[in-house]
Amino acid sequence: MKDVKSAILNGKTFLGIELGSTRIKAVLVDDAYNPVATGGYDWENRFENKVWTYRLDDVWTGLRASFAAVSKNVMEKYGVPLTTTGGIGISAMMHGYLVFDKDGNQLAQFRTWRNTMTEEAAVKLTKAFNFNIPQRWSAAHIYHAVLNGESHVKDIARLTTLACYIHEKLTGQNVIGMCEASGMFPIDSTTKTFNAAMLEKFDELVAEYNVGWKLSDILPKVLDAGTDAGTLTEEGAKLLDPSGQFKAGAPMCPPEGDAGTGMVATNSVAPRTGNVSAGTSIFAMIVLEKGLSRLHEEIDMITTPSGSPVAMVHCNNCTPDFDEWARLLGEAIKLSGGNISKPGLYDLMYEQALKGDADCGGLLSYNYLSGEHLTGFEQGRPLFARTPDSRFTLANMMRTLLFSTMATLKLGMDILTLGEKVRLDALLGHGGLFKTELAGQKLMAGAINVPVAVMESAGEGGAWGIALLAAYMVNKSGGENLEDFLMNKVFANNKSISVNPDPEDVESFKLFMRRYKDGLAIERAAVENLKS
């Protein structure tokens, strides 16, 4: 307690803030890289004008609230105010479309990663580059706006991401971390910046539209992990803490996306390591020993925060449909006079899933609240189906719902592990799916057929990851790379629980996947005939 208090007073701590899909979280770590205080703020995206979005006013409301919460936690636990820190990092959900004019005015709704209206643009860019450009990438969004003839396009002076936007407001520096940048536009691993040949090709593609800018001129500057990315200004400190208690001057690391911070938080930045993040969306990232043999439109190629190639399987839908079933069951329990906590309810549901039949009783579920590019859906309809002779029990239902959260990911992972023969020693799991001890972890190991480990620190997630990147920037020794810093200084004594695939779970998931693939026509019919 005394050492932590001293670190806080002497600015030896590091602050990480990550804006996730449903929660903004702040984590303060001490000089031994352990989380010592946390704070958070719940929020949710809006569906406005047929666009999944967040308003920038909500961004700042949530950012200030999460900072205030971590400051309050510091005072309650250690009896001292949080007035400074040794470094700060900002992270947020990746991708999307956030554009401003030369005066800093927002030109269009913030279009998040969740939108799937950019299919035509993504397909054309993928063909032109011979490199997969997913629909959620910033490159696809801006090309979509050009092809659509949107009136604001000619006024664009800056194309950015949520993390990069906040960082610039706090520091005055229009810079971006390597992994975050790789979700905007392809990165050249040699130069560690945006691919020059592809930038030139993009400008050729939009030349006939007379947009009035070159893409390279409106993108932020790419920075490697560990690079100085500016300091918190007086104006930035007031944006973060209007009370004036927190002072300017803290160094800030390059802003990163949730993919990069997830890699750091699970120590998955070295080749043959990988992690799976399972929450609102689900994605797995595998650090490669070598490049893939060919283009796979289902696989995103991004980088670690230090520029190593990463194959990413990203699916838009994971736990929100399961959450709705939990809410419904909780309502039924309450109406019957029962009383159960939310964590207790989730534990009950997950534990029942482990008791389900190998074939899930013949039940089928699709968790598509939004579109799912990997299976070719621009829109989604949550769907639960069964035959008259299905074994419709609570255990089978829960097992089916949990398998549904992993099914689309499995399709992408098979491309890597079976098709490309990518070697993977283990997956590190983090996110809501792994909060109930062992259940989600065990089923994921069976689904992907590789060991799945969960670290005791993984619950702090990306906010801890970006705090570690801030610490790396300040505390790295000479030319110490990120892999060595994490292995030797952060995770040397970190405990984890690893679960090997259970052959019965592996076979169970294979049975479910056969039904899942055959039933995609049912989901297609629901999208076409069940209008929202």
Side-chain angles (χ1 to χ4, degrees):
M1 182 70 73
K2 184 178 179 181
D3 289 343
V4 173
K5 184 175 178 178
S6 175
I8 294 169
L9 290 172
N10 293 307
K12 300 296 184 182
T13 58
F14 299 93
L15 177 66
I17 303 178
E18 180 161 280
L19 294 90
S21 300
T22 59
R23 185 167 175 79
I24 302 173
K25 187 169 186 178
V27 171
L28 189 74
V29 304
D30 62 13
D31 47 4
Y33 315 116
N34 300 308
V36 295
T38 61
Y41 176 82
D42 293 332
W43 71 336
E44 187 55 81
N45 54 194
R46 304 168 185 259
F47 191 62
E48 298 178 336
N49 302 317
K50 297 185 177 180
V51 170
W52 291 105
T53 188
Y54 298 85
R55 296 176 185 173
L56 294 189
D57 286 347
D58 294 339
V59 169
W60 290 107
T61 297
L63 197 69
R64 292 179 188 121
S66 62
F67 180 83
V70 76
S71 296
K72 181 181 179 183
N73 192 225
V74 167
M75 178 60 76
E76 289 174 346
K77 291 176 72 174
Y78 308 105
V80 295
L82 181 62
T83 61
T84 187
T85 186
I88 302 174
I90 298 295
S91 173
M93 63 197 92
M94 291 174 69
H95 318 299
Y97 186 65
L98 193 52
V99 287
F100 299 88
D101 66 15
K102 60 182 178 60
D103 297 317
N105 299 307
Q106 187 178 5
L107 294 173
Q109 278 180 295
F110 171 34
R111 302 169 189 177
T112 75
W113 58 269
R114 197 172 185 179
N115 290 285
T116 54
M117 79 278 280
T118 62
E119 182 179 14
E120 179 188 3
V123 168
K124 287 184 175 180
L125 289 179
T126 296
K127 183 178 180 180
F129 296 165
N130 193 33
F131 185 99
N132 185 36
I133 303 296
Q135 291 190 46
R136 65 188 182 282
W137 279 27
S138 305
H141 276 282
I142 194 168
Y143 192 39
H144 168 80
V146 171
L147 295 177
N148 253 19
E150 298 185 31
S151 60
H152 72 269
V153 166
K154 66 182 184 305
D155 298 318
I156 296 175
R158 194 163 80 258
L159 170 64
T160 190
T161 66
L162 183 56
C164 185
Y165 158 74
I166 294 168
H167 181 91
E168 183 176 9
K169 297 291 283 186
L170 297 181
T171 66
Q173 301 295 312
N174 184 25
V175 297
I176 190 169
M178 188 82 65
C179 180
E180 176 81 333
S182 70
M184 293 188 78
F185 195 87
I187 291 288
D188 184 327
S189 59
T190 303
T191 63
K192 292 194 173 184
T193 189
F194 294 116
N195 187 295
M198 293 183 189
L199 285 172
E200 185 176 345
K201 174 63 71 173
F202 185 95
D203 291 336
E204 291 173 3
L205 291 172
V206 301
E208 64 181 286
Y209 297 93
N210 299 313
V211 295
W213 41 258
K214 289 187 175 181
L215 188 57
S216 59
D217 294 334
I218 64 173
L219 288 169
K221 180 181 179 181
V222 182
L223 298 181
D224 197 354
T227 306
D228 181 0
T231 59
L232 182 67
T233 63
E234 294 285 352
E235 295 79 6
K238 290 176 182 176
L239 281 173
L240 197 58
D241 179 20
S243 75
Q245 175 179 283
F246 195 72
K247 306 304 180 185
M252 295 190 64
C253 69
E256 269 297 355
D258 51 0
T261 58
M263 295 179 208
V264 172
T266 55
N267 194 22
S268 304
V269 297
R272 293 182 63 166
T273 63
N275 75 92
V276 56
S277 174
T280 302
S281 62
I282 185 169
F283 53 88
M285 297 172 290
I286 315 302
V287 186
L288 302 177
E289 297 178 284
K290 60 180 182 178
L292 301 181
S293 65
R294 63 181 181 85
L295 167 69
H296 295 279
E297 294 187 5
E298 302 90 346
I299 307 298
D300 305 354
M301 291 303 301
I302 59 171
T303 74
T304 66
S306 52
S308 298
V310 173
M312 180 180 188
V313 180
H314 185 283
C315 310
N316 286 348
N317 301 281
C318 186
T319 58
D321 182 53
F322 190 90
D323 294 340
E324 286 296 292
W325 284 104
R327 181 192 57 77
L328 187 69
L329 291 174
E331 183 179 343
I333 292 171
K334 186 176 180 180
L335 287 173
S336 70
N339 184 27
I340 188 171
S341 68
K342 187 174 180 180
L345 176 60
Y346 275 81
D347 287 348
L348 176 66
M349 293 169 69
Y350 274 60
E351 288 161 6
Q352 283 296 307
L354 295 179
K355 300 175 182 177
D357 296 333
D359 66 348
C360 299
L363 307 180
L364 181 60
S365 173
Y366 294 94
N367 63 338
Y368 293 4
L369 269 73
S370 62
E372 199 59 82
H373 73 98
L374 208 144
T375 46
F377 285 87
E378 290 187 21
Q379 299 180 54
R381 298 291 184 272
L383 179 67
F384 195 97
R386 61 190 177 98
T387 61
D389 58 349
S390 295
R391 295 178 299 284
F392 192 32
T393 66
L394 182 63
N396 283 336
M397 181 182 184
M398 293 302 106
R399 191 175 185 88
T400 300
L401 291 174
L402 280 181
F403 273 2
S404 178
T405 67
M406 309 169 190
T408 314
L409 180 75
K410 171 65 172 176
L411 297 174
M413 286 297 295
D414 281 351
I415 294 171
L416 296 176
T417 58
L418 301 181
E420 288 282 348
K421 308 301 181 185
V422 169
R423 291 186 293 176
L424 180 63
D425 295 329
L427 275 177
L428 278 296
H430 58 112
L433 192 69
F434 302 104
K435 284 186 177 180
T436 295
E437 186 175 354
L438 292 181
Q441 188 180 355
K442 183 177 187 294
L443 294 181
M444 181 66 75
I448 307 301
N449 199 17
V450 296
V452 175
V454 174
M455 293 181 176
E456 61 180 12
S457 56
E460 304 301 344
W464 185 51
I466 192 66
L468 294 179
L469 285 171
Y472 171 62
M473 177 188 68
V474 175
N475 289 346
K476 66 181 185 297
S477 304
E480 184 179 33
N481 63 33
L482 180 60
E483 294 174 29
D484 289 341
F485 175 82
L486 293 176
M487 183 63 70
N488 299 328
K489 293 181 178 177
V490 178
F491 291 98
N493 299 311
N494 198 282
K495 296 179 181 178
S496 65
I497 298 173
S498 183
V499 173
N500 290 320
D502 183 329
E504 292 184 1
D505 288 336
V506 174
E507 290 305 311
S508 176
F509 200 79
K510 286 180 180 178
L511 290 172
F512 177 79
M513 286 305 298
R514 283 199 287 270
R515 189 180 309 116
Y516 188 89
K517 293 175 185 177
D518 291 342
L520 283 169
I522 308 171
E523 174 68 16
R524 176 65 63 191
V527 170
E528 293 174 353
N529 296 286
L530 187 60
K531 303 303 180 183
S532 60

